[in-house]
Amino acid sequence: MMLSSSLKEVINSLRNGSIQSKELCEKCIRRVQKTRELNSFITETLDIARSQASESQARQLSGSSLGILDGVPVAVKDNFSTLGVQTSCASAILKGYVPPYNATMVQRLLDQGAVMMGKTNLDEFAMGSGSLDSVYGPVRNPWKYTFQNYEANKQDDLNKQSLRFSNKGNSANHKNNIQSESIKNSDSTNGQNGSSGIPEDMDVSDTRSEECDWYVSGGSSGGSAVAVATGTAFAALGSDTGGSVRIPASYCGVVGFKPTYSLLSRYGLIPLVNSLDVPGILTKTVDDTVIMLNVLAGHDVHDSTTMTDPYKPVLAVDFPEKISLKGLHIGIPKEYHAPGLASDVLSAWDKAADLFEAHGATVSEVSLPHTRFSIVCYSILCACEVSSNMARYDGIEFGHRAQNADASTEALYAASRHEGFNDVVRGRILAGNYFLLNKNYDTYFIQAQKVRKLISEDFACVFSVGVDVLLTPTTLTGAPKYSWYKREDNRTRTEQQDVFTQPINMAGLPAVSVPASLSDEGVPIGLQFIGPMFSEQKLLTVARWFEQQVHFPRLSLDGILGDL
Amino acid sequence: MSHTLGRYRRFTSNFQCSYSVYRALTRALHHGQRLSQNARAGWETVVGLEIHAQIASHSKLFSGAGTQFAAPVNNQVSFLDAALPGTLPVLNRRCAEIGVMTGLALGCHINRESRFDRKHYFYADLPQGYQITQQRQPLAEKGEIPYYFFVANDMKSPTKLSARIHHIQLEQDSGKSLQDPEQNMSLIDLNRAGMALMEIVTEPDFRSGEEAAAFVKELQLILTTIGACSGVMAEGAMRVDATVSVNKVGEPISTGVRVEIKNVNSIRGVAKAIEYEFSRHISLLEKGEKIANETRAFDAENVETISMRDKEKVHDYRFMPEPNLPPLRIYDNQTLSSDLSPDQVINVDEIRSSMAATPEERRLALQAKYGLSLEHCQVMLTSEGTEDFFTAVMNADTTRDIAIVYQLLFSILLSFTNEHKIPVDKSPVDIVKFGDTVDLLCSKRITYQVARNIFHQYFEAADNRPVEQMVDEEDWWIITDKTLIEEHCKKLMAESPKKVKNHKKGYRECGFHKAIVVRTQGRADPVLARQVVEENMGKFVKKK
């Protein structure tokens, strides 16, 4: 029962003493071990978690507390810097890189007494929407997943418990036959592109029988979404550049929140696109998101782009049984009726709109005419910043350094970077460098910035005429199957998957994906609520009301995996 | 000390005409006149400068790491300076303030909003893979500063020139690479990485190496005066790049192929590098050869410029706005709103009002108040603490003879303070003792030699008697008794008949007036001594 609880419920349990930090931590550790084949963690920090839980319990017994999250197991996406714990961005180039400092988001969690279960898996440098392009192998969606290797895992667990940080890349080799094919030790130099699992994954999926297929977790914060969905953590940090929190939240049936740009500090978050990145929150409920947001938000001296005005905490409003939504104006952007929108998603969207209308809200169609240019614009801006941000990975100060490439500094750069980055990253670097060439700058970068401004203005325009919140699907479909997803490359899939989410990043707005219903195949469908800048209070209130109406069937693995 | 004495000599002969010199140099010089002055055999050169000046801040431009010179290797490196993933730049307010101050001192317009850009290139001592700079919207633009150009061999009559500043941008310095060829290794020191630089870019306003050097000297003086930069070129605190082009006189200027000379580390080097380049261009052009558009390094030892390899390929720096830094906003009294906390904003008016006077302001003030020559003003500005000392002595008694005050200060007091390596305001000869000595000189009651003796007592003998008491007790009063001096003269003539003969025949001056001064322990009035010798020996007339 405990592992299916919400963050809010578990905080209450810890407070009223019905569970203690150590016991809770051990439950989560067992869940981590039992769900290893989902590959949601790159690094499990079980020993750290145990000692944090033990300290928390001591505080609990002495009647003191560091804060609201004292003793609560959380997970952190592996692109947030963690002091003393490898932070890899799922890339070979950062394998073995151990930051000497904590990201502000991580520090704020730890300051509250949170217990860190581990660093979650993602697409390399958060470039992807499927959590498949990780050097540590793909993440699997727990929905409708058959834990076929559960028994085999048991044996392994005993051996692994003594490891401070388990390396999923290696551990997967002897516990999961399917995965072992897809993961190669990135240190090996034989074979082209040994660090990228893509070609191997393709082979594996093709030879697989239908029942071995599984659902994609979504990405790039897939590991964090799975951690929350499976109960290994009660909240997780993700990062959202074009939908990377909301998409996996939608596919995994959890709440995924992307705050207003500048509300949460990016210090220590390894950047994808600095001007679009925001730390995001994954939880089981909207209430849980509010708890996390209030812990994490506010100015940070280390991040000059964070808001300087004092943060006003979001209040969780309790709704009476019958509430009128009179005065609330919900906008339905007509451009979101996009090609490829699945009928079950469309139906969930329509039902939601009807629900609001039925309770007294005004629901009207609105237009965001420049939305259709957003994905192209995003591709350019993203590539430009990526090419710049990736320039520091040269193997000199930290990270992967190629062997036997000491002919010249240039040769060392070339070899280290070639070995360290996968095709997706390399492709974006090359494109970005092309866009930034002096002769191309105006045509691409400046043009994209202009379009970005138009996209922003579209939203501002809609909100200025009285729309409070926009309601859209989060994704075109429910969680897709792995075999289907891999039929196209990362670039194509990202363009499809991010279509509803990345315009919000372009405008810097807050948005939240809330589970709405199950698809025809029985996997989650999420809907997205979008608000004006700094409208978190209203946005999350609306999201919470919706959440209470739909009674989404939360995933419980307690029956399959046990709660002990 | 020789230079101080040299100035002393010039001073005595030229002081009276300082006003006319001042007038002469404030006369605007015609542009064409300047060109023909510096043209060589029908060629002329046009030079623009880029000066990288390290900002004298305690921490780096975007991180809290220290900025000491010659700190132990890799000891002033923050996570940001090492480009650790996830780190973000945070602008050091002090650096921006110093940038604004510099902009004001160089007569620039301060942009109320400036922005930072990334300039990309791969280099081992550039850990981020880019430098944060201000490419598209710099901090300050469109300035102009006057400077003085002393024509060689004619230090007395400087020319007042003016150079325009194109812009000033804030940027990060790089680290340092050391090559170890024996082990085939590059060693990287990141202490300097991320230190704050101002890049000061001039218009192509210089017509010779000497002019450019004079400008750099003035700039150095400005930056040190306002406390923006240590100005120590030997430590790399100021590094000069010069863009040189040469064209035929009569052709539009700046039409020649441009060559950039990088990282010149001394003021003399600036003059020499440019002059070398000027000559090199002329000789190539006269042979009908083409000048390569290239970057060259200055070899100070062999006084030549050398082509830097690898520079033929055009470098595209792929500039991009720095997304992690909001625009740098500068406020003034008008735009400052009350809801902004004063410790979070940079107010240009506040900086202006708290700024030290610029060298030009100080020179003009000294000239106007004391009638000092420009050259003497320059000496005072470049010799730390002397201006304040001089002003204090003059303020105590405004009737004091400025010439005597100047001479006593620069040719005598400074010789002691320099020898003891103490600033003039820490001298045992304080304002009062100095002033009393001046007054005794003014009233001709002691000689300069005795003044030197007095200072010697204070510096070397820990003497603390008041000046008059010391002179009295030591019996150092001036000897103006003509008979006594005549006695010395007669004695000398009797002792050295050969010198008398040589003097009278016009072969060699006897120098007895100096000997008389020596024999009276410096007490004899030197003017009287000379007069007595002339009366007794006749005026020395050199035989042709």
Side-chain angles (χ1 to χ4, degrees), chain B residues 212-478:
Chain B
F215 169 82
V216 174
K217 202 168 182 181
E218 175 69 7
L219 181 65
Q220 185 185 41
L221 186 60
I222 293 171
L223 296 182
T224 51
T225 302
I226 62 172
C229 171
S230 77
V232 186
M233 295 182 79
E235 292 179 2
M238 266 177 76
R239 313 192 287 268
V240 181
D241 299 346
T243 304
V244 179
S245 71
V246 172
N247 58 273
K248 268 208 167 110
V249 174
E251 282 174 358
I253 58 160
S254 223
T255 47
V257 175
R258 288 178 202 177
V259 171
E260 191 177 15
I261 313 168
K262 281 270 182 202
N263 282 333
V264 185
N265 282 322
S266 75
I267 287 175
R268 287 319 307 151
V270 171
K272 286 177 185 166
I274 293 167
E275 290 306 322
Y276 176 88
E277 204 52 27
F278 189 11
S279 306
R280 191 180 70 87
H281 284 218
I282 294 173
S283 68
L284 285 173
L285 291 168
E286 285 181 343
K287 278 188 268 177
E289 289 177 32
K290 279 195 174 161
I291 308 289
N293 179 347
E294 62 179 353
T295 303
R296 298 177 72 87
F298 179 57
D299 177 351
E301 235 168 79
N302 299 312
V303 196
E304 59 181 5
T305 63
I306 307 147
S307 182
M308 289 165 84
R309 288 157 292 145
D310 281 352
K311 288 284 172 180
E312 293 100 67
K313 37 185 173 178
V314 181
H315 216 115
D316 195 318
Y317 291 114
R318 290 161 285 126
F319 284 100
M320 188 193 87
E322 166 57 61
N324 295 315
L325 288 166
L328 168 57
R329 285 184 212 289
I330 310 288
Y331 295 85
D332 53 42
N333 286 342
Q334 252 88 58
T335 56
L336 199 65
S337 70
S338 54
D339 58 323
L340 293 165
S341 121
D343 56 318
Q344 280 182 344
V345 299
I346 298 174
N347 181 345
V348 66
D349 289 323
E350 204 179 291
I351 291 174
R352 187 184 283 114
S353 63
S354 61
M355 238 174 93
T358 64
E360 179 66 359
E361 287 165 349
R362 286 161 59 188
R363 270 190 301 255
L364 292 177
L366 287 170
Q367 286 173 342
K369 195 163 179 193
Y370 304 110
L372 283 171
S373 77
L374 184 78
E375 187 212 341
H376 291 148
C377 295
Q378 196 74 1
V379 171
M380 223 177 257
L381 258 56
T382 49
S383 179
E384 210 189 324
T386 55
E387 188 187 347
D388 288 344
F389 195 90
F390 176 87
T391 313
V393 171
M394 288 307 297
N395 283 349
D397 181 354
T398 52
T399 64
R400 280 171 176 154
D401 185 329
I402 290 158
I404 290 174
V405 174
Y406 187 93
Q407 185 177 341
L408 187 65
L409 175 58
F410 282 94
S411 52
I412 302 184
L413 182 58
L414 279 195
S415 70
F416 285 100
T417 54
N418 287 346
E419 193 182 318
H420 286 256
K421 293 190 170 64
I422 52 170
V424 73
D425 61 345
K426 296 278 187 297
S427 157
V429 179
D430 57 20
I431 305 284
V432 173
K433 290 190 178 109
F434 186 89
D436 289 348
T437 312
V438 166
D439 294 341
L440 293 181
L441 281 169
C442 288
S443 56
K444 292 208 164 77
R445 294 172 70 201
I446 58 167
T447 62
Y448 276 104
Q449 181 54 50
V450 165
R452 188 178 287 278
N453 293 348
I454 294 168
F455 288 0
H456 183 270
Q457 281 299 107
Y458 290 129
F459 272 91
E460 313 296 343
D463 198 331
N464 206 26
R465 289 174 288 175
V467 173
E468 280 220 36
Q469 189 192 334
M470 187 198 294
V471 173
D472 214 37
E473 287 174 9
E474 301 294 334
D475 193 19
W476 281 345
W477 297 112
I478 196 166

Side-chain angles (χ1 to χ4, degrees), chain A residues 81 94 97 100-101 261 266-271 274-275 301-305 384-385 388-389 391-394 396-398 406 409 413 417 433 436-438 441 445 449, chain B residues 79-80 82-91 117-118 120 122-130 136 184 186 188 190 316-326 344:
Chain A
S81 302
L94 282 179
Y97 166 66
Y101 73 106
Y261 188 85
R266 293 179 294 114
Y267 179 67
L269 167 63
I270 299 181
N274 303 276
S275 61
V301 289
H302 297 300
D303 179 357
S304 306
T305 63
C384 290
E385 286 201 35
S388 176
N389 288 334
R392 69 186 59 207
Y393 303 101
D394 55 13
I396 303 288
E397 277 82 16
F398 51 82
D406 48 7
T409 310
Y413 290 156
R417 288 166 68 79
N433 281 330
L436 288 177
L437 285 176
N438 198 31
Y441 184 76
F445 190 83
Q449 276 195 324
Chain B
F79 300 155
L80 178 92
L84 292 194
T87 52
L88 298 170
V90 177
L91 179 64
D117 302 287
R118 293 179 177 182
H120 299 88
F122 280 104
Y123 208 79
D125 57 24
L126 187 77
Q128 292 175 128
Y130 53 83
R136 293 183 173 99
N184 190 25
S186 289
I188 311 290
L190 293 181
D316 195 318
Y317 291 114
R318 290 161 285 126
F319 284 100
M320 188 193 87
E322 166 57 61
N324 295 315
L325 288 166
Q344 280 182 344

Side-chain angles (χ1 to χ4, degrees), chain A residues 421-496:
Chain A
F421 293 132
N422 71 9
D423 285 345
V424 178
V425 180
R426 270 189 253 148
R428 291 202 199 180
I429 290 172
L430 288 172
N433 281 330
Y434 175 80
F435 297 143
L436 288 177
L437 285 176
N438 198 31
K439 60 173 183 178
N440 295 334
Y441 184 76
D442 286 350
T443 324
Y444 294 100
F445 190 83
I446 293 292
Q447 192 63 19
Q449 276 195 324
K450 285 181 190 160
V451 175
R452 180 178 179 178
K453 196 156 171 267
L454 293 174
I455 294 163
S456 269
E457 284 167 1
D458 278 357
F459 283 107
C461 186
V462 165
F463 289 128
S464 74
V465 298
V467 170
D468 296 298
V469 172
L470 296 170
L471 171 62
T472 77
T474 308
T475 49
L476 289 165
T477 64
K481 282 200 167 143
Y482 175 78
S483 54
W484 173 86
Y485 198 96
K486 290 307 282 187
R487 270 179 224 145
E488 300 285 352
D489 64 8
N490 177 296
R491 193 185 135 68
T492 311
R493 286 293 182 228
T494 303
E495 281 196 8
Q496 295 166 344

Side-chain angles (χ1 to χ4, degrees), chain A residues 304-322:
Chain A
S304 306
T305 63
T306 49
M307 57 181 289
T308 46
D309 294 341
Y311 170 71
K312 286 194 204 91
V314 171
L315 304 170
V317 186
D318 279 318
F319 304 105
E321 279 291 303
K322 282 208 162 188

